[in-house]
Amino acid sequence: MRLIDTHTHIYLPEFDTDRAEVTARAIESGVEKMILPNVDLTTLEPMKNLRASRPDSFFMAVGLHPTEVKSDWREQLDVIESELRENPSSFVAIGEVGIDLYWDKTFVAEQKEALHAQFLMALKHNLPVIIHCRKGLNEIIEVLQSLPLTPRCVFHSFGGDATDVMRLREIGDFYFGINGIVTFKNSRLREVLPVIGIERILLETDAPYLAPVPFRGKRNEPSYVAKVAEYVAGVFNMPVDDVAEITSANAERFFGI
């Protein structure tokens, strides 16, 4: 079974004691490639170091996570832009970026401005965008509609309903990142997956967060993307190998990897 984890943060400190073992488990379980989305300026070096350790397995996205957008967001984006300018072939996407109003609405205006700037960055560099959306879909749609062109996007860790999917489809032909949330007992996603369709699904873990059942509540890791694939296969009544192959091809097409 050939898998791609399109969203994993295993460069974070949660993996400092066993990162090599976690990587080995992923590869042994069929995870051929892993996308590393950036968080802020502090995660750039750990992410680049991990990429350098296995450039055949790890691919990087660069961006400023919405929860890290503060009054100095312009200065942070200057550094991110310089990374893109100096190492254009090192990054396969802008991300993760977006709107998060779940914890704090203090910087909602700045989040929208930073997202707009990073969408323009993606268009300038012809890169897709990994979108983080938590209680911010209206704001993201507003920003998308203000752009001269619609960038290629994946809505990471998608947790919306069928109406959300249709609203987004009025704007662009987007992809949707499906992770361990789909396996949770109270998840609505099993009804939404057929609306999305297997051709627009990317599998992910968001490790170390959101571990799928039966690992819920524990540290997530890329090898667990196989559990997500198994669950999605059950929803679509398809062989898991077919789900793995289709979603991996989706990821390769979307990220150009």
Side-chain angles (χ1 to χ4, degrees), residues 84-100:
L84 278 169
R85 189 169 55 250
E86 293 166 16
N87 307 289
S89 63
S90 295
F91 301 101
V92 299
I94 301 296
E96 66 187 277
V97 305
I99 301 288
D100 190 317

Side-chain angles (χ1 to χ4, degrees), residues 194-211:
V195 179
I196 296 172
I198 193 67
E199 295 294 338
R200 287 297 176 270
I201 287 174
L202 303 183
L203 301 184
E204 60 169 62
T205 59
D206 201 19
Y209 316 109
L210 301 174

Side-chain angles (χ1 to χ4, degrees), residues 117-221:
Q118 291 178 99
F119 275 143
L120 293 180
M121 204 180 291
L123 291 170
K124 176 183 175 182
H125 293 275
N126 192 29
L127 289 172
V129 184
I130 300 169
I131 295 181
H132 171 109
C133 177
R134 198 167 188 196
K135 303 292 184 183
L137 185 60
N138 290 337
E139 289 77 8
I140 288 173
I141 289 174
E142 179 187 336
V143 176
L144 280 168
Q145 291 175 329
S146 73
L147 298 170
L149 294 169
T150 302
R152 294 170 290 143
C153 300
V154 55
F155 280 78
H156 141 68
S157 193
F158 186 70
D161 57 23
T163 301
D164 295 332
V165 174
M166 301 315 294
R167 286 181 69 195
L168 289 168
R169 287 213 164 125
E170 291 177 2
I171 303 168
D173 184 13
F174 301 130
Y175 285 74
F176 298 84
I178 303 300
N179 57 31
I181 291 174
V182 76
T183 70
F184 296 174
K185 188 176 180 180
N186 61 350
S187 173
R188 303 171 297 173
L189 273 177
R190 57 187 62 86
E191 288 81 36
V192 181
L193 292 189
V195 179
I196 296 172
I198 193 67
E199 295 294 338
R200 287 297 176 270
I201 287 174
L202 303 183
L203 301 184
E204 60 169 62
T205 59
D206 201 19
Y209 316 109
L210 301 174
V213 174
F215 307 107
R216 188 175 184 183
K218 299 178 181 179
R219 185 191 68 172
N220 203 359
E221 61 176 72

